[in-house]
Amino acid sequence: MTLFMSVSVRRTTMRALSILFVSLHPLTHATQPPVTDIVIGIDGGTESIRACCFDAHSGRVLGKSHAAPYATSHPRPGWAEQDPLQWYDRLVDAVRGAIRSLNEHEGGCSSYNVRAMCCDTTCCSVVALSENYSPLRPCLLWMDARSAPQAKRIMEVASASSSSSGSTILESFPELRVNSNGEGPISAEWLLPKALWIKEMEPHIWEKAHVLCEYQDYLNYRLTDRMVASSCNAAVRWHHDGWEVLGGNVQELDGREGSRIKEHAGRPMRLYQALGIPELASKLPKTTLAMGDVVGGLSEAAAKDLGLPKGTLVVQGGPDAFVGMIGLGTIHPHRLCLITGSSHLHCLVTPHPVSKSGMWGAYRGAPLPHLSFAEGGQSSTGVLARWFRDLVSPDGDAKGDEGKISYQRLDEEASRIAPGSDGLVALETWQGSRTPHTDPLARGAFVGLTLSHTRAHIFRAILESVCYGTRSCFDALEAAAEVRSNPSEKDVERSNEVVIAGGATRSALWLQLHADISGRTFLLNENTDGPLLGCAILASVGSGIYSSVDEAVDNMVRVKDRIEPNAEARKAYDRLYEEVYSKVRPSVTNIFHAMAELRGGEASELAEPTTYDRKPLRKVVVSPSILAADWSDLKGELQKCVDAGLTHIHVDVFDGVFLDSPYAFTFGPQMVKAINNRFPSLFLDIHLCVDRPTRFIEAMAAAGASRLIFQWEAMGENPLQAAVSLARSVVESGMKCGVSINPTTDVQEIFPLLQTELVDLVDILAVEPGFGGQTFNPIVLNKISQLQQWRDSKEREFQFAILVDGGMNKATSKSVIERGADILVAGTAMFRHPSGLSEALKDLNIT
């Protein structure tokens, strides 16, 4: 009760402060009534950061959301890093873009008052900061798996320590209950294993680290000059008690000694001691705030950067997925939400913080202090529909949707098949099983195939299998939360409704199958962007517009559709689930494990081949990729290239379709024209990673492109015919023509094209098409040698250049030059070299 009162007092104090902040700052554009109260939601994702303005009362989107991408580097396989400084810079771009859209787009507003802003970010993206809060190293991104040995050791140490004391793991370390009730595993994504890795592998960084925090905490610090943690982050990924940790804050009202309430409350100190890392507690942010609490007002510097008044409120957010729970309205016990995409994430708000095997959590004090929730997951869901669509399409290998069967057609065919797919049942665990049966070796299966089954049967069976797995996860979460499936039991509530968001909502058939098979009603909200709307809700609460998250959700979240189970279909699926699907998984588990032991390893082609000395065909040229340049000062970056004596520039043109991502969208003909006008002496190689590349030929020629390099893998079902036609058009337009191949493409596929002599360059990608910072794939070394030998064997005047693109450094450049490369494309190695381009050229063995 004492703790509850302290949190209530803190919330009341924060609300009073919010009113004070608002009174000190007059309404923006107050001379242009009516004035709209707005809040800004900010979503820091894996590939970009987005910002969007909302009506602070209704939750209606105002203007347009604005995204600003940032780079991810992969120094080694399994590693993933980002630059924290870029996060803040891109946040500024995103917020300014969202505010600018208020006047530029329909649905905006001309007169507004920014009441508050709130951020969510990726969770487990760990940052080490110096005493002056500057990053000491790149962030260890959430997906970074380098700390897998440390994650494994945590469970080993906990098991050994508890055994030696004659107790169970949960008796010694109750914080491990969130990892399948103490059974594990602990993910390498989480904060604790990453902290151990830094201490053990980079002790110099560990000793200098004054603060170890997350992406979320760093952004809030840059905005307010105040370092605080999110109680939701701490509860779900730090092994903290999200309720008790709020009672461990350091009082900031004065600097007197003894002003602590309870130092390190809610933190796993015994586990830290057992792991030999007790100092971690003092490196974490000293203050923890619940989502919806006020962090502070914008600092003078941040206000200037954002173009907003100093003191504009910044409200505490949290992990993107769990802020999304707020945005979907999943904030009451027994409420389920399902977030769909390539995989499924299931979240259940539980009446108590109980934990059992086959689930993650329940996390006490998350997503909000008075709640607990548990989560489950399926590894392969939406990706299975895409896999099958590509498999049966005549042009299945092409990027994007062109030439492929539409999902609508597959849905129409499958909808004509009866429940159960005429005796065909699938197991959806293509990429392993997360919950309720954790098994990374699990694989997919079809049971009951006959010659009468069509692609419609198989597609429906796949969709049904995902829904069976979802029901299994729901049932396990309910069982773990001590919620029974039988609604007739006294004092027991069943989760009869599920709020759903994501890709599966675009299929009416799949929505209905989810409802029929799980036996639950599915709710589809008006705004399904849970993270951004969740931030808006928290900002409205923090600014005092609403007195609680419950009240804000009631006013800002609206249900658009209800999908009810079909009674007859549900009966059929209940029997199939109980009598068939539930028996398939255990019956094939041993087979899957045996197959994993029998499966062969990778081909020896990945091994480093013996090096040899040879002189290149011509002087080796470096062509910097402006994908890695500072886009905010592209003119300056190109001038540096000219000043360093460079003659070629590599321009990657992505349209967000061939590389299926809204963030894979870069430069167009207008940018190429601007570069050519300003730097006419530069040779511009334009690498097209686009859908239907022929559309770009005329525009790029008019813009001044020197050479157009098209992607071989984009040429469709008859690649040679399409490539010859495209190459001829490029040459006739006055440009030179090149062809690019992915690291895994057999180089012999393009030999017939080279014999036409239309192409004067082969671009061998040493990384996957996309943004820079990836690790060089040594598989391409043999391809370079093979291509060079084939070229040298041709006794004719026509010769083509060999270009190697991506992953360039001192070692890899030496290897590719020795094998015959004539042109090296380097982005990160050039534009981010600490000593400038001239020194970068030396590092790339170019003298």
Side-chain angles (χ1 to χ4, degrees):
M1 176 61 73
T2 302
L3 181 58
F4 176 80
M5 290 177 64
S6 69
V7 174
S8 297
V9 169
R10 188 187 73 254
R11 284 189 173 277
T12 302
T13 303
M14 291 296 184
R15 192 161 296 109
L17 285 173
S18 74
I19 295 170
L20 176 62
F21 272 118
V22 173
S23 68
L24 289 175
H25 300 287
L27 300 181
T28 305
H29 305 306
T31 59
Q32 302 178 26
V35 176
T36 303
D37 285 332
I38 71 170
V39 288
I40 302 174
I42 302 167
D43 172 36
T46 302
E47 297 177 322
S48 70
I49 189 165
R50 299 181 298 148
C52 187
C53 297
F54 293 82
D55 184 300
H57 298 270
S58 69
R60 181 171 62 89
V61 172
L62 300 175
K64 297 281 187 179
S65 65
H66 187 87
Y70 34 62
T72 300
S73 62
H74 301 275
R76 296 184 186 179
W79 293 24
E81 298 181 343
Q82 288 181 349
D83 180 1
L85 298 178
Q86 273 198 3
W87 292 336
Y88 179 74
D89 291 343
R90 301 302 177 261
L91 177 147
V92 171
D93 295 342
V95 170
R96 281 187 170 271
I99 293 175
R100 189 166 56 247
S101 76
L102 292 174
N103 297 315
E104 294 178 350
H105 294 279
E106 185 178 350
C109 59
S110 59
S111 184
Y112 54 86
N113 171 33
V114 179
R115 294 291 298 269
M117 63 177 58
C118 176
C119 308
D120 74 69
T121 66
T122 57
C123 189
C124 306
S125 294
V126 178
V127 188
L129 302 176
S130 68
E131 195 167 0
N132 65 356
Y133 295 94
S134 298
L136 293 168
R137 69 169 329 280
C139 152
L140 300 186
L141 197 59
W142 66 270
M143 66 174 69
D144 190 295
R146 74 184 73 186
S147 60
Q150 285 78 13
K152 182 179 179 182
R153 188 169 3 110
I154 292 171
M155 292 303 301
E156 293 171 348
V157 169
S159 178
S161 178
S162 57
S163 296
S164 64
S165 63
S167 59
T168 66
I169 284 183
L170 292 184
E171 288 171 342
S172 297
F173 307 106
E175 54 273 4
L176 294 179
R177 65 177 177 76
V178 300
N179 301 107
S180 287
N181 206 35
E183 295 179 6
I186 292 175
S187 172
E189 294 178 7
W190 287 28
L191 178 134
L192 184 51
K194 285 177 175 169
L196 281 169
W197 186 91
I198 294 173
K199 178 177 180 178
E200 294 167 2
M201 306 306 293
E202 295 181 345
H204 60 294
I205 296 293
W206 183 256
E207 297 206 355
K208 292 179 182 177
H210 178 68
V211 173
L212 200 74
C213 66
E214 292 226 19
Y215 183 176
Q216 172 83 31
D217 316 326
Y218 178 75
L219 281 189
N220 281 339
Y221 173 77
R222 290 296 302 272
L223 292 171
T224 66
D225 289 334
R226 189 179 181 209
M227 176 54 68
V228 298
S230 168
S231 63
C232 186
N233 256 341
V236 301
R237 296 295 184 261
W238 293 13
H239 288 101
H240 288 191
D241 186 305
W243 176 244
E244 289 187 3
V245 75
L246 292 172
N249 292 333
V250 176
Q251 294 286 354
E252 297 178 329
L253 301 179
D254 58 53
R256 292 177 300 171
E257 195 120 2
S259 62
R260 298 174 187 273
I261 299 174
K262 181 183 177 184
E263 188 175 21
H264 304 322
R267 294 179 174 178
M269 297 308 297
R270 285 189 63 184
L271 183 59
Y272 290 173
Q273 291 284 353
L275 294 169
I277 194 171
E279 68 273 26
L280 173 59
S282 63
K283 292 181 183 290
L284 295 173
K286 303 295 188 294
T287 302
T288 304
L289 296 180
M291 297 203 300
D293 282 348
V294 175
V295 177
L298 282 181
S299 67
E300 185 174 352
K304 182 178 179 181
D305 291 339
L306 296 173
L308 293 172
K310 178 184 176 183
T312 300
L313 291 181
V314 177
V315 177
Q316 182 64 291
D320 47 9
F322 309 130
V323 171
M325 291 177 66
I326 307 296
L328 293 176
T330 311
I331 58 170
H332 299 292
H334 312 296
R335 292 299 302 272
L336 274 163
C337 73
L338 175 61
I339 301 172
T340 67
S342 297
S343 58
H344 274 18
L345 173 68
H346 327 83
C347 297
L348 171 68
V349 181
T350 61
H352 309 288
V354 295
S355 300
K356 289 188 178 180
S357 177
M359 63 179 283
W360 305 323
Y363 309 109
R364 188 178 186 226
L368 298 170
H370 64 287
L371 298 176
S372 299
F373 83 94
E375 60 176 319
Q378 293 168 270
S379 301
S380 306
T381 57
V383 71
L384 298 186
R386 181 173 183 172
W387 168 82
F388 183 76
R389 189 276 304 263
D390 291 351
L391 189 68
V392 299
S393 293
D395 196 9
D397 292 333
K399 299 294 183 181
D401 292 334
E402 187 173 351
K404 297 180 182 179
I405 297 171
S406 70
Y407 290 114
Q408 290 80 3
R409 180 176 175 184
L410 290 173
D411 276 0
E412 289 170 4
E413 293 175 355
S415 65
R416 294 193 287 269
I417 306 299
S421 302
D422 288 338
L424 179 62
V425 172
L427 193 63
E428 87 285 4
T429 50
W430 259 246
Q431 293 293 112
S433 176
R434 290 180 181 171
T435 63
H437 310 285
T438 303
D439 185 359
L441 300 181
R443 292 296 179 263
F446 287 101
V447 178
L449 272 171
T450 70
L451 293 177
S452 65
H453 285 126
T454 65
R455 75 178 184 191
H457 290 89
I458 297 174
F459 186 64
R460 185 179 181 108
I462 289 173
L463 299 185
E464 290 174 338
S465 74
V466 171
C467 299
Y468 290 137
T470 299
R471 172 174 171 172
S472 179
C473 289
F474 285 166
D475 289 349
L477 285 173
E478 287 186 325
E482 300 181 344
V483 180
R484 304 294 183 263
S485 294
N486 183 357
S488 65
E489 290 187 32
K490 188 177 181 180
D491 298 328
V492 171
E493 291 187 50
R494 183 173 182 270
S495 307
N496 289 316
E497 293 184 341
V498 183
V499 184
I500 186 170
T505 63
R506 293 192 288 269
S507 168
L509 172 63
W510 212 2
L511 275 173
Q512 190 63 53
L513 288 175
H514 275 91
D516 294 344
I517 292 176
S518 70
R520 294 165 171 85
T521 299
F522 277 71
L523 308 180
L524 189 61
N525 287 349
E526 181 182 292
N527 185 341
T528 60
D529 194 331
L532 278 176
L533 181 56
C535 285
I537 289 169
L538 295 171
S540 289
V541 173
S543 64
I545 289 175
Y546 292 110
S547 61
S548 68
V549 173
D550 285 40
E551 184 185 8
V553 165
D554 287 343
N555 286 277
M556 299 173 75
V557 177
R558 289 172 287 278
V559 175
K560 183 177 72 173
D561 289 316
R562 296 175 61 90
I563 298 91
E564 303 285 353
N566 178 285
E568 290 302 315
R570 180 179 175 181
K571 289 180 183 178
Y573 282 124
D574 280 348
R575 185 175 178 185
L576 285 163
Y577 177 77
E578 297 293 344
E579 298 181 15
V580 182
Y581 176 85
S582 296
K583 296 178 181 179
V584 170
R585 185 202 59 79
S587 67
V588 297
T589 296
N590 291 336
I591 297 173
F592 288 152
H593 290 189
M595 291 171 65
E597 293 179 2
L598 294 171
R599 190 181 299 122
E602 296 293 327
S604 59
E605 186 179 15
L606 287 171
E608 175 81 3
T610 303
T611 61
Y612 59 94
D613 292 324
R614 69 174 292 276
K615 294 181 180 180
L617 178 69
R618 56 184 67 84
K619 181 181 178 180
V620 176
V621 171
V622 171
S623 183
S625 170
I626 62 170
L627 206 59
D630 181 355
W631 291 7
S632 67
D633 185 27
L634 199 53
K635 177 181 175 182
E637 297 278 61
L638 291 170
Q639 186 62 56
K640 292 176 185 177
C641 293
V642 173
D643 294 342
L646 294 166
T647 58
H648 286 58
I649 292 294
H650 194 81
V651 183
D652 289 293
V653 175
F654 302 159
D655 64 351
V657 179
F658 180 76
L659 297 181
D660 191 10
S661 167
Y663 307 115
F665 194 92
T666 58
F667 311 102
Q670 298 93 330
M671 180 63 75
V672 173
K673 182 177 181 179
I675 295 172
N676 183 56
N677 288 342
R678 180 64 181 82
F679 302 97
S681 64
L682 288 175
F683 188 99
L684 301 181
D685 268 329
I686 311 302
H687 179 196
L688 290 180
C689 282
V690 298
D691 183 45
R692 293 175 290 145
T694 52
R695 298 175 297 152
F696 290 77
I697 295 174
E698 183 177 349
M700 286 299 182
S706 308
R707 176 163 43 216
L708 209 62
I709 305 171
F710 66 89
Q711 200 65 35
W712 174 257
E713 292 81 6
M715 291 296 100
E717 187 175 6
N718 191 342
L720 180 59
Q721 180 179 341
V724 169
S725 175
L726 187 149
R728 183 172 288 111
S729 297
V730 170
V731 172
E732 288 173 354
S733 74
M735 295 182 290
K736 295 180 181 295
C737 186
V739 61
S740 177
I741 60 172
N742 284 343
T744 55
T745 297
D746 186 347
V747 71
Q748 294 188 44
E749 291 184 22
I750 64 170
F751 285 173
L753 172 65
L754 297 179
Q755 289 175 329
T756 67
E757 301 187 358
L758 291 168
V759 171
D760 74 353
L761 176 139
V762 177
D763 179 345
I764 300 178
L765 292 177
V767 295
E768 292 299 320
F771 287 93
Q774 299 181 55
T775 303
F776 182 89
N777 189 342
I779 196 174
V780 305
L781 294 173
N782 285 336
K783 298 182 189 300
I784 300 168
S785 299
Q786 188 177 6
L787 189 59
Q788 179 271 323
Q789 292 167 8
W790 185 85
R791 177 180 66 181
D792 287 357
S793 70
K794 302 301 174 184
E795 296 181 358
R796 61 185 185 212
E797 293 183 2
F798 177 81
Q799 290 282 295
F800 56 86
I802 299 175
L803 179 151
V804 181
D805 185 352
M808 287 296 109
N809 57 41
K810 190 169 186 175
T812 58
S813 65
K814 182 175 185 293
S815 297
V816 301
I817 291 172
E818 288 176 343
R819 283 160 180 76
D822 307 299
I823 303 174
L824 310 184
V825 171
T828 303
M830 294 294 290
F831 289 112
R832 300 182 191 176
H833 194 285
S835 301
L837 295 178
S838 296
E839 290 301 314
L841 289 171
K842 293 179 183 178
D843 282 355
L844 294 177
N845 303 288
I846 307 297
T847 57

